[in-house]
Amino acid sequence: MAGHGEVRIPFGALQRVAEAVLTRAGSEPGEARVVAEHLVRANLAGHDSHGVGMIPYYVRFVGEGLLRPNTPARLLADEGSILRFEGARGYGQRVAREAIAAGIERCRALGVSVVTLRHAHHVGRVGTYGEQAAEAGLVSLHWVNVQDHPPLMAPFRGSDARFGTNPVCVTIPRPGREGPILLDMATSRIALGKVRVLMNKGEPVPPEHLIDHQGRPTRDPGVMFRQERRGALLPIGEHKGYGLALVAELLAGVLSGGGTIQPAIPRKGAIVNNLFSVLLDPGRFGDPEWMRAEIDAMVAYAKASPPADPDEPVLVAGEPERLAAAERKRHGIPVDAVTWEEILEAGERVGLGRGEAESLAGLGSGGG
Ligand code: NAD
């Protein structure tokens, strides 16, 4: 059932809409498919912040020349175990996928590889790259920093934004099990896209996640979307989350050569990501059977902790996303009314008629 003010769209249909808009915005079909699939899978995983709601921004950034369709990842340097790539403001979902694919091949050959990617446009949900490596049987670690965009997150003890929401991701494959351990998190207490989703739904942000332009606590998601007097997100875990954001900033920003968010680097207003990834072949570290059994035993041990709330059993990282995907595959992906309208408008701007988009989405006239 669709909730009030939202449409529910089957994931295949939503992907067709996304591909149609991206193709009209200038992407070759292969690129449109990769980007659309990434976005819709983020929705499936429950991360609407990194799903199709980004399309209107991408269309605008393409129009402004800040996001460049049909740009592949370019190899800057091959140092054996280290591969360095340039993203040149291409779709991050594409260039990061290509860079990680090269890293997977290298890791298979050497047992370890390190991939850097600089100047990609928004790489989206970082867990996608963890999944890509896990599907190849590899462990992976990823750090990302954000540039081009105004800073969003305050340092611990600060009162204004000086960082992006710098995500960190660690993925451990579990062959033969339902899916990998997939820790994929922003270092802010809440991702900006989730603040946007709450603003679109007219709902407040949970307490102690946001400060206003004067550093005072607020629950108003609107403070993050003002041109002037913008508020800031707070880091997870006080000084510890701030520390994680700082090392993501430096690993991804400095080792990639792309730079950090410090103000001497120009900001044009889109979203540029730099990525630092380490891939490891677990087969080179010991007996795969023993590893598999030990991971199973540890996961079972953690999950057997009696839940503090009987309705909320202990989960492991990656499980909430799998549960969301199972539900959304069955019942469709909920898209709030504001986001759906923005997608339709973005489509119209690049020549995709409203009726055509609605029919691709399987929505009759009036939708819902
Ligand atoms: P989140 O808080 O929903 O989840 C973070 C992690 O916690 C996930 O690995 C999840 O599986 C795990 N988790 C959630 N509930 C759990 C539970 N009850 N028990 C055990 N584990 C649990 O995610 P987030 O921090 O809001 O990040 C959302 C997405 O935003 C991520 O995919 C991230 O890559 C992306 N992101 C991207 C950028 C960018 O610039 N490209 C920036 C920030 C965030």
Side-chain angles (χ1 to χ4, degrees):
M1 281 282 289
H4 180 68
E6 70 180 28
V7 287
R8 280 229 174 212
I9 303 176
F11 78 96
L14 192 56
Q15 183 166 330
R16 283 192 285 281
V17 176
E19 273 186 59
V21 180
L22 294 166
T23 308
R24 300 262 198 324
S27 289
E28 290 157 1
E31 175 173 282
R33 192 171 338 106
V34 165
V35 178
E37 188 178 337
H38 178 125
L39 295 174
V40 173
R41 287 193 175 274
N43 286 112
L44 268 184
H47 293 294
D48 295 330
S49 52
H50 289 69
V52 295
M54 291 306 293
I55 289 175
Y57 294 89
Y58 294 170
V59 168
R60 193 176 91 216
F61 296 145
V62 169
E64 291 170 357
L66 299 176
L67 164 55
R68 301 193 186 119
N70 309 319
T71 304
R74 183 166 63 84
L75 186 65
L76 289 172
D78 180 342
E79 306 274 353
S81 56
I82 302 172
L83 297 172
R84 293 169 41 219
F85 287 92
E86 164 69 44
R89 284 184 184 267
Y91 274 102
Q93 291 87 349
R94 172 196 180 156
V95 291
R97 186 180 177 75
E98 291 171 348
I100 294 297
I104 287 171
E105 287 314 308
R106 193 54 57 94
C107 182
R108 283 200 173 115
L110 301 179
V112 58
S113 67
V114 178
V115 175
T116 68
L117 171 66
R118 72 180 193 198
H119 303 151
H121 194 265
H122 192 224
V123 299
R125 175 178 171 252
V126 182
T128 308
Y129 312 108
E131 286 166 350
Q132 189 184 348
E135 277 158 25
L138 305 179
V139 170
S140 67
L141 307 92
H142 311 267
W143 290 263
V144 171
N145 78 323
V146 190
Q147 298 175 294
D148 209 40
H149 196 278
L152 298 171
M153 186 175 80
F156 178 63
R157 296 189 173 182
S159 61
D160 68 358
R162 304 273 160 152
F163 287 86
T165 54
N166 295 2
V168 175
C169 173
V170 179
T171 305
I172 297 162
R174 298 185 71 197
R177 297 289 175 265
E178 57 288 346
I181 301 292
L182 204 167
L183 178 67
D184 171 28
M185 54 179 229
T187 46
S188 53
R189 291 196 193 178
I190 186 166
L192 180 71
K194 289 184 179 161
V195 180
R196 168 171 52 80
V197 171
L198 289 171
M199 184 177 72
N200 288 351
K201 291 182 176 169
E203 292 176 16
V205 172
E208 296 174 11
H209 282 53
L210 276 188
I211 50 177
D212 69 12
H213 68 285
Q214 292 180 311
R216 295 172 307 201
T218 178
R219 299 188 63 187
D220 173 10
V223 302
M224 292 309 298
F225 298 92
R226 290 183 191 138
Q227 288 306 318
E228 303 292 325
R229 307 199 308 166
R230 198 190 293 257
L233 310 173
L234 293 173
I236 54 169
E238 286 85 20
H239 56 289
K240 303 178 194 183
Y242 162 46
L244 282 177
L246 179 66
V247 297
E249 188 72 33
L250 302 180
L251 287 173
V254 177
L255 293 180
S256 73
T260 67
I261 200 167
Q262 57 88 6
I265 296 196
R267 296 176 191 150
K268 296 183 178 169
I271 311 164
V272 165
N273 281 148
N274 303 297
L275 170 73
F276 173 78
S277 298
V278 178
L279 290 87
L280 305 164
D281 181 351
R284 310 272 189 134
F285 290 79
D287 174 16
E289 281 313 315
W290 178 84
M291 288 188 194
R292 200 187 331 251
E294 192 61 14
I295 293 170
D296 284 353
M298 185 60 222
V299 168
Y301 178 59
K303 291 187 58 147
S305 180
D309 173 345
D311 292 333
E312 296 197 323
V314 173
L315 303 175
V316 291
E319 235 180 328
E321 286 75 10
R322 283 195 291 280
L323 293 170
E327 193 275 328
R328 288 175 169 208
K329 273 184 184 155
R330 266 198 308 278
H331 301 297
I333 292 172
V335 182
D336 70 81
V338 174
T339 300
W340 182 239
E341 180 58 28
E342 286 174 355
I343 292 170
L344 291 176
E345 283 171 9
E348 280 183 315
R349 268 203 301 285
V350 291
L352 179 73
R354 226 162 236 270
E356 196 180 339
E358 282 172 341
S359 125
L360 283 171
L363 300 172
S365 57

